[in-house]
Amino acid sequence: MSSPVSHRSSLVFLAITLLTFLAASSAPTPLYHLYQEGLHFSAGMLTLVFGVYALSLLVALLTVGSLSDHLGRKPVIFAALLLNMLAMLLFINEGSVAWLIAARTLQGFATGMATAVLGAALLDTDRQQGPLVNSVAPLLGMACGAMGSSLLVEFAPLPTQLIYWMLLALMLLQAVYVWRLPETVSRIPGALASLRPTLHVPPQARRALWLALPVDVAVWAMGGFYLSLAPSLVRAATGSTSNLIGGGLVAVLTLSGALMIFTLRNRPADKVLRLGAGLLAVGVTLILTAVHSASLPLFFVATLIAGSGFGAGFLGALRSVVPLALPHERAGLMSAFYVLSYLAFCLPSLLAGNLIRSFGLIATTDGYGAVLIVLSVGALIGLLLQDSARARATTGG
């Protein structure tokens, strides 16, 4: 079972399964305007449908994130696939906003469970390639889901169902194949105790977390806004009615982020974090310019730059903080880091959805973008001042 072929096929299967979960997570984005038109709900309700996914994912990471350490990887992967298959059936049969919220809640929990167990299984299978796959596959998956869904909506029948049928079929095959994988951990007691959330930021990592937090919050808040409201924003700003635009923007955002993570994976964390802050500030500024000039090409250029900032900012924040923890402190620190990241992913977009009712989509976007720019520039200044102080201390000046 440990032959190179089985090792390689296990790695490929785990990567494709992780990609599938994240593709499913972004598949609804190009469909949101169809749901709005068909079910007649507001932008605030739209961001609620999006936000419950992130909150449910967060609950899963905090509760069942380490369950596979006790029960084994295969049963937990199988359970996550079953939950996500049920979510696909809810999407296929949606008839009200309540069905959509139920589907997204279930999907979020399944994705959080899968992210934790597949990430662990990838590290078990390949210590060298596992971390890279863990970083890049989710962003590639989100790009595939958003773009694939857009293409099917534009050119295929059953616009609100076909993508989910395809994902359901793929997950069914994965649920069958997962039992052929070699199990990488032995069962140990303590499964119930592992469900208790643990958050802990060790003292030696707190300063680095505070310095990285504004960039991390800004990049995740931008990601949440894009995945929930970007298609509606482009329609409002440019008048474009193409279903390909929303999915294309999400694909550009996530692919550019994945490319930056791959390109910068061996660079010093502080330089990557500064680059992420700078690119995000420039990207968001250009997005606001695109909104007010109604320029579709500028939207894509701005999204490319902002997505690069997303990838660099996330990677820089993660690598600035996590290495400072001792081995027995890493799980608690990672949980705390992801809690903050996913709260930034959903809460600001939920707030934006409610503000749209009072101020409109364009004005809300302006305010949202201004906050992201202030966070990014403020973080960049703080990081530069820290580097300057460190250089003075080193030279004795």
Side-chain angles (χ1 to χ4, degrees):
M1 295 298 289
S2 60
S3 68
V5 173
S6 66
H7 170 89
R8 191 160 46 248
S9 61
S10 295
L11 188 68
V12 170
F13 170 79
L14 293 168
I16 291 174
T17 305
L18 182 58
L19 192 145
T20 302
F21 272 92
L22 274 298
S25 77
S26 63
T29 296
L31 303 177
Y32 282 148
H33 73 95
L34 295 178
Y35 292 139
Q36 271 190 288
E37 292 167 5
L39 300 175
H40 309 290
F41 57 81
S42 67
M45 184 59 69
L46 188 156
T47 53
L48 177 62
V49 171
F50 169 80
V52 294
Y53 163 83
L55 289 173
S56 181
L57 187 152
L58 187 56
V59 169
L61 284 174
L62 287 173
T63 55
V64 298
S66 60
L67 190 61
S68 69
D69 291 340
H70 301 272
L71 300 182
R73 308 296 188 216
K74 293 196 291 186
V76 179
I77 295 173
F78 182 74
L81 284 164
L82 287 184
L83 289 176
N84 217 11
M85 288 162 64
L86 182 56
M88 296 303 103
L89 290 172
L90 290 175
F91 277 121
I92 289 167
N93 293 286
E94 59 83 18
S96 67
V97 178
W99 279 72
L100 282 179
I101 291 175
R104 284 297 270 174
T105 302
L106 190 58
Q107 184 185 44
F109 194 87
T111 305
M113 180 187 287
T115 301
V117 64
L118 290 168
L122 282 162
L123 289 172
D124 296 340
T125 304
D126 193 320
R127 288 281 175 182
Q128 288 189 318
Q129 299 299 323
L132 181 60
V133 175
N134 270 324
S135 299
V136 174
L139 293 173
L140 291 178
M142 285 164 52
C144 291
M147 202 62 232
S149 181
S150 293
L151 289 167
L152 290 175
V153 170
E154 189 74 13
F155 300 114
L158 304 174
T160 60
Q161 294 182 332
L162 186 57
I163 183 66
Y164 301 120
W165 280 115
M166 294 175 68
L167 288 165
L168 180 63
L170 183 55
M171 289 173 199
L172 182 60
L173 293 174
Q174 291 167 348
V176 172
Y177 187 86
V178 71
W179 296 106
R180 297 186 59 189
L181 293 180
E183 183 57 79
T184 54
V185 296
S186 303
R187 288 193 174 215
I188 57 173
L192 285 177
S194 74
L195 301 179
R196 189 186 65 216
T198 54
L199 297 175
H200 175 65
V201 180
Q204 70 273 20
R206 288 172 189 169
R207 177 175 170 77
L209 180 63
W210 281 115
L211 280 169
L213 193 58
V215 181
D216 192 57
V217 167
V219 297
W220 283 95
M222 190 211 38
F225 186 87
Y226 245 67
L227 263 71
S228 58
L229 292 170
S232 301
L233 178 62
V234 174
R235 284 171 175 265
T238 69
S240 170
T241 58
S242 172
N243 292 306
L244 296 175
I245 301 301
L249 284 171
V250 172
V252 170
L253 183 82
T254 51
L255 286 175
S256 57
L259 182 61
M260 286 300 282
I261 288 173
F262 181 80
T263 304
L264 301 173
R265 64 191 185 282
N266 296 321
R267 299 290 179 88
D270 57 339
K271 292 183 179 179
V272 174
L273 192 59
R274 290 200 303 270
L275 179 63
L279 287 173
L280 188 67
V282 172
V284 173
T285 301
L286 290 175
I287 288 170
L288 297 181
T289 304
V291 168
H292 289 282
S293 63
S295 171
L296 199 54
L298 184 56
F299 255 113
F300 278 93
V301 172
T303 302
L304 179 69
I305 296 170
S308 300
F310 180 98
F314 173 59
L315 178 66
L318 191 64
R319 287 182 49 211
S320 296
V321 175
V322 174
L324 299 176
L326 299 172
H328 67 278
E329 298 171 328
R330 283 179 195 144
L333 179 57
M334 284 298 293
S335 295
F337 183 84
Y338 277 113
V339 165
L340 295 169
S341 298
Y342 277 102
L343 287 176
F345 192 55
C346 62
L347 293 184
S349 60
L350 284 171
L351 176 62
N354 285 304
L355 291 175
I356 286 169
R357 286 184 291 188
S358 301
F359 301 101
L361 180 55
I362 303 299
T364 301
T365 301
D366 287 341
Y368 200 99
V371 171
L372 296 185
I373 293 168
V374 168
L375 278 173
S376 302
V377 172
L380 183 59
I381 292 171
L383 290 165
L384 290 172
L385 288 174
Q386 182 198 38
D387 289 347
S388 177
R390 189 182 296 154
R392 284 198 302 270
T394 303
T395 58

